[in-house]
Amino acid sequence: MLDLDNIHAYYGDSHILHGVSLAVNEGEVVCLLGRNGAGKTTTILTIMGYLKPRPGRIRFRDRDIAELPPYAVARLGFGFVPQERGIFPSLTVRENLTVFARARGQGWKNRRWTLERIFELFPHLRAREKNLGFQLSGGEQQMLSIARALMLNPSLLLLDEPSEGLAPMIVQEIIEVLKNLKREGLAILLVEQNLRTALAVADRHHVMNKGEICFTGSSAELEGNDVVLREYLSV
């Protein structure tokens, strides 16, 4: 579905990504793990077209997307939940959701995600649907950011550290949401520092360090690799 091959990326003259290669298959949840500065967010931004690989290849369903601008990448079926959430603080919850609604296929009736389905998945948002964005808690803002991405009816959901800074109870709610999306067959590329969140939802894990992938494996393989856990993921 999504294939990154030998991606190098720069901020100005600073070489950030060094030959990153990974793939996300249909219906699969893949996690990028690593400490701050490892290159996880840069990888997501490069996929979304905010940075251009120099060199490297990015393909989505056999189409080369490396040179596309972010809006064109999004139109192909990407839903992006940025680390800073990016909701509109002066709009209500309902307005934040409906302004992003998009059909996949012919016409409104063919949309997979509707307001009603969103509110079933996020009951907190139903209770706050008339509240403005700035009136929400951090956890509610994160839920709204995920819900807004779903209203695009994406084929692939990219999430950048959705559990960051949230209370454990809210993190568990986010985990349950991601599990539900996984059961529905939605492909997900998840960036995380929270190992518990990653192990709870992902099929495969890529651990990054200094702009390179230093480990790839299943949850069981990651949990059993004390060297990787100690050297690249421990605080």
Side-chain angles (χ1 to χ4, degrees), residues 30-43:
V30 175
C31 186
L32 280 178
L33 283 158
R35 297 191 180 107
N36 281 335
K40 308 182 303 297
T41 294
T42 302
T43 301

Side-chain angles (χ1 to χ4, degrees), residues 19 47 53 72 76 102 115 129 170 192 195-196 217 229:
I47 294 170
L76 292 176
R102 182 176 67 197
L115 270 178
E129 66 174 299
I170 301 299
E192 262 300 341
L195 182 61
R196 183 174 71 89
L229 294 176

Side-chain angles (χ1 to χ4, degrees), residues 1-4 24-26 47-48 57-66 68 72-79 102 104 153-158 186-188:
M1 186 181 194
L2 176 70
D3 182 46
L4 277 64
V24 181
N25 299 315
E26 298 276 357
I47 294 170
M48 287 301 302
R57 187 187 68 170
I58 305 174
R59 297 186 67 82
F60 181 66
R61 289 179 169 163
D62 295 324
R63 176 177 176 178
D64 192 337
I65 66 170
L68 295 181
V73 174
R75 287 177 179 172
L76 292 176
F78 285 74
R102 182 176 67 197
R104 309 254 346 131
N153 281 278
S155 302
L156 175 61
L157 186 64
L158 280 63
L186 181 62
I188 298 173

Side-chain angles (χ1 to χ4, degrees), residues 147-164:
R148 190 179 64 175
L150 291 175
M151 288 296 285
L152 291 168
N153 281 278
S155 302
L156 175 61
L157 186 64
L158 280 63
L159 301 102
D160 193 355
E161 300 204 27
S163 69
E164 183 184 33

Side-chain angles (χ1 to χ4, degrees), residues 10 42 49 51-52 99 114 119 136 145 159 166 171:
Y10 294 75
T42 302
L51 296 172
K52 304 304 178 188
V99 76
T114 63
F119 287 148
L136 303 179
S145 186
L159 301 102
L166 301 182
V171 171

